[in-house]
Amino acid sequence: MSDSRYVAALIAVPVLIVLVMVVASRTHDRDTSAAPVSFPVSLAEVEAAQPGRRELAIQHWQTDAGSRVLHVQTDQLPMVDVRLVFNAGSARDGDLAGLASLTNALLDQGADGMGVDEIASGFEDLGARFGSSSHRDMALVTLTSLNDAEFLEPALALTARILRAPDFPEDALNRVRTRMQQGLLMQQQVPGPQVSRAFQETLFGAHPYGIPSSGTLESLPRLRRDDLQRFYRDFYTAGNAVIAVVGALSEAEARALANRLSSALPEGGRAPALPQAEPPAESTRRHITFNSSQTHIQIGTQVISRDHEDYVPLYVGNHVFGGGGFSAVLMDEVRQRRGLVYGISSSITPMAAAAPFQIALQTGNDNADEALGLTLSLLEQFVEEGPTDEQVQRAIDYLTGSFAMSTASNSAIVGQLGSIGFYDLPLDYMDQFQRDIAAVTAEQIRTALRRHLDPTRLAIASIGPRAPEARLPDDDPDGAE
């Protein structure tokens, strides 16, 4: 290096360092002068922070064929999620248990002359996902696709062909039916599904919710192709469908999409309302003798529908009692302090014609009597005394904080829209539900529990080597003699 270039380098290096320091200083000045960051940086700020929930601009209308549509435009991803919700669950089976499930399972097994492989490869080649499922109240058909017309148009065309002309081919019917029968045989080796079925039958009796959704070994062989075709014509109609659309589509595009799918469905109106299920007139027990090292027990009754003014207090009360995981009363008293169960929880499931409250527990056979006795005693005590103010506030904090997840993705939103449309809920239902939860008091919960949850009128189902007899534990959970 020449002397002149060496000198230039000696001068250039300090100049660059100074320039970098000046730029960094100005950047720092800009950062510190910017608006305060909203992210909480202390425990007090975390506790004071109100978890945000995405505001949804829900559009709704009815298609020319009579389907109700709910639409939310989200442009974050170039995707579209579509969910068709039919009032066509297993509560519509009548005396052919398993009919709704089998009908739904065969939708993509052959349609309009296409075989199951052609349908599957058709969606796969487009990068789209088609699905279907059947539940006690409803049956679902779902489609997820890119919003680009190159992919969305053929995916919609394929979906419309399935909806317009499902073939219910005999070979697929026999194959799926055999699979369902094998599933039922496998369930006979597992206690969980057996006790769940026994509980549903004990709680609901002759009500349509008492029908086993997966059918029985006696009912499945009686199902014929024309039974499925009739069920599809009766319940997969345009007027009996709610279409939820979420994704990067304008309202005009969503209207065209919904009209296209709705017009492919059979003509027809809404299914008649189901009769409301009633609480048991008295406590009823059912036991299944089963050789295992564990005893499974389910306990429950009917409470009130979600449109009743006492529903939210019961919902929060359930979270305190058994729905809140390790912070719940049941988990703390029966498992943590006594060690009587492997797992225990409670739930309230709002449905179209019922809202069952249910406790489920699994215990070793030697502990079954005490686990059942303590659980029933805690339920009676909770109904009488209710939760503390501190327990209620913890439940409110958790429940309102978890609402953000209900709108965290397109699939979560489309599920919310499907439920809002299916159960005829107000469009602001989720926001109002969150506000109602935040305003609940311990006294409201105590009043609602005493009004609607009668511990003397319970359905109890169990499975194990012998029927458990309720007995309170003799020992002190804290170890005192």
Side-chain angles (χ1 to χ4, degrees), residues 102 106 109-110 116 168-178:
L102 198 53
L106 259 70
Q109 298 297 302
V116 58
F168 304 110
E170 287 285 358
D171 59 338
L173 170 59
N174 292 329
R175 183 176 64 252
V176 175
R177 174 171 35 212
T178 300

Side-chain angles (χ1 to χ4, degrees), residues 44-159:
E45 290 180 7
V46 169
E47 292 177 343
Q50 294 294 318
R53 201 176 76 84
R54 193 173 177 179
E55 295 295 329
L56 300 180
I58 303 175
Q59 307 297 322
H60 68 106
W61 64 86
Q62 184 167 307
T63 67
D64 297 338
S67 302
R68 291 152 286 155
V69 183
L70 293 93
H71 167 239
V72 168
Q73 180 173 348
T74 62
D75 295 322
Q76 288 81 4
L77 295 172
M79 305 285 293
V80 177
D81 277 85
V82 183
R83 175 172 295 201
L84 291 89
V85 187
F86 299 92
N87 195 334
S90 62
R92 306 290 175 180
D93 278 353
D95 59 354
L96 293 174
L99 176 58
S101 295
L102 198 53
T103 302
N104 185 271
L106 259 70
L107 289 180
D108 62 352
Q109 298 297 302
D112 199 18
M114 298 180 293
V116 58
D117 293 336
E118 186 178 356
I119 292 174
S121 62
F123 286 115
E124 185 178 338
D125 292 344
L126 296 168
R129 184 169 64 245
F130 177 90
S132 63
S133 60
S134 178
H135 310 272
R136 208 166 292 277
D137 265 340
M138 61 181 71
L140 305 180
V141 173
T142 61
L143 173 67
T144 301
S145 169
L146 293 168
N147 71 330
D148 191 306
E150 178 184 354
F151 302 99
L152 181 58
E153 284 298 318
L156 287 175
L158 189 51
T159 303

Side-chain angles (χ1 to χ4, degrees), residues 428-439:
D428 66 345
Y429 174 76
M430 295 302 296
D431 292 327
Q432 186 59 50
F433 190 50
Q434 188 173 2
R435 288 193 291 270
D436 290 346
I437 286 176

Side-chain angles (χ1 to χ4, degrees), residues 83-402:
R83 175 172 295 201
L84 291 89
V85 187
F86 299 92
N87 195 334
S90 62
R92 306 290 175 180
D93 278 353
D95 59 354
L96 293 174
L99 176 58
S101 295
L102 198 53
T103 302
N104 185 271
L106 259 70
L107 289 180
D108 62 352
Q109 298 297 302
D112 199 18
M114 298 180 293
V116 58
D117 293 336
E118 186 178 356
I119 292 174
S121 62
F123 286 115
E124 185 178 338
D125 292 344
L126 296 168
R129 184 169 64 245
F130 177 90
S132 63
S133 60
S134 178
H135 310 272
R136 208 166 292 277
D137 265 340
M138 61 181 71
L140 305 180
V141 173
T142 61
L143 173 67
T144 301
S145 169
L146 293 168
N147 71 330
D148 191 306
E150 178 184 354
F151 302 99
L152 181 58
E153 284 298 318
L156 287 175
L158 189 51
T159 303
R161 289 181 69 182
I162 294 172
L163 296 175
R164 181 177 293 107
D167 289 334
F168 304 110
E170 287 285 358
D171 59 338
L173 170 59
N174 292 329
R175 183 176 64 252
V176 175
R177 174 171 35 212
T178 300
R179 189 174 65 206
M180 292 175 67
Q181 290 172 312
Q182 291 172 339
L184 292 175
L185 290 171
M186 290 179 64
Q187 288 181 6
Q188 292 182 352
Q189 310 302 315
V190 184
Q194 292 188 68
V195 75
S196 293
R197 179 174 295 206
F199 175 75
Q200 291 291 327
E201 294 171 352
T202 306
L203 178 61
F204 290 110
H207 189 275
Y209 287 155
I211 300 171
S213 300
S214 301
T216 66
L217 293 175
E218 293 75 29
S219 68
L220 290 177
R222 293 194 287 122
L223 296 176
R224 299 288 178 261
R225 180 170 178 263
D226 55 357
D227 294 322
L228 278 61
Q229 292 173 315
R230 174 185 54 76
F231 190 88
Y232 187 81
R233 286 195 305 271
D234 288 346
F235 294 109
Y236 283 75
T237 64
N240 201 33
V242 170
I243 303 177
V245 184
V246 176
L249 284 185
S250 67
E251 181 180 331
E253 293 169 324
R255 283 180 178 271
L257 178 152
N259 270 330
R260 187 171 182 178
L261 297 180
S262 181
S263 63
L265 296 168
E267 294 181 1
R270 299 177 70 160
L274 296 169
Q276 285 294 316
E278 298 292 335
E282 58 186 7
S283 282
T284 306
R285 296 282 302 271
R286 179 176 175 185
H287 179 75
I288 301 171
T289 301
F290 187 78
N291 185 22
S292 68
S293 60
Q294 296 183 17
T295 297
H296 292 230
I297 304 172
Q298 296 194 6
I299 306 163
T301 186
Q302 288 293 339
V303 288
I304 50 179
S305 62
R306 72 173 93 203
D307 57 355
H308 194 287
E309 62 180 3
D310 285 339
Y311 177 75
V312 171
L314 283 183
Y315 180 85
V316 178
N318 170 70
H319 186 87
V320 174
F321 182 62
F326 282 92
S327 67
V329 171
L330 284 179
M331 182 65 84
D332 182 52
E333 292 288 342
V334 187
R335 175 178 160 165
Q336 301 290 88
R337 302 186 70 197
R338 306 272 185 171
L340 292 176
V341 296
Y342 303 111
I344 186 168
S345 63
S346 69
S347 60
I348 295 179
T349 307
M351 303 166 71
F357 164 78
Q358 182 176 355
I359 301 170
L361 61 100
Q362 306 83 41
T363 178
N365 296 329
D366 293 342
N367 294 326
D369 295 347
E370 292 182 339
L372 176 60
L374 180 58
T375 300
L376 293 175
S377 174
L378 289 170
L379 177 61
E380 186 175 357
Q381 180 182 351
F382 191 72
V383 170
E384 180 59 31
E385 300 177 2
T388 66
D389 292 339
E390 183 182 359
Q391 289 173 321
V392 172
Q393 191 55 55
R394 282 204 303 266
I396 290 173
D397 291 344
Y398 176 85
L399 291 170
T400 54
S402 64

Side-chain angles (χ1 to χ4, degrees), residues 417-466:
L417 296 190
S419 292
I420 288 172
F422 182 84
Y423 292 112
D424 289 321
L425 302 174
L427 296 182
D428 66 345
Y429 174 76
M430 295 302 296
D431 292 327
Q432 186 59 50
F433 190 50
Q434 188 173 2
R435 288 193 291 270
D436 290 346
I437 286 176
V440 161
T441 67
E443 183 55 35
Q444 288 175 320
I445 295 174
R446 276 191 288 274
T447 301
L449 287 168
R450 292 173 183 170
R451 282 178 181 162
H452 307 292
L453 211 168
D454 186 349
T456 66
R457 299 166 63 189
L458 298 173
I460 302 176
S462 56
I463 184 170
R466 64 172 180 82

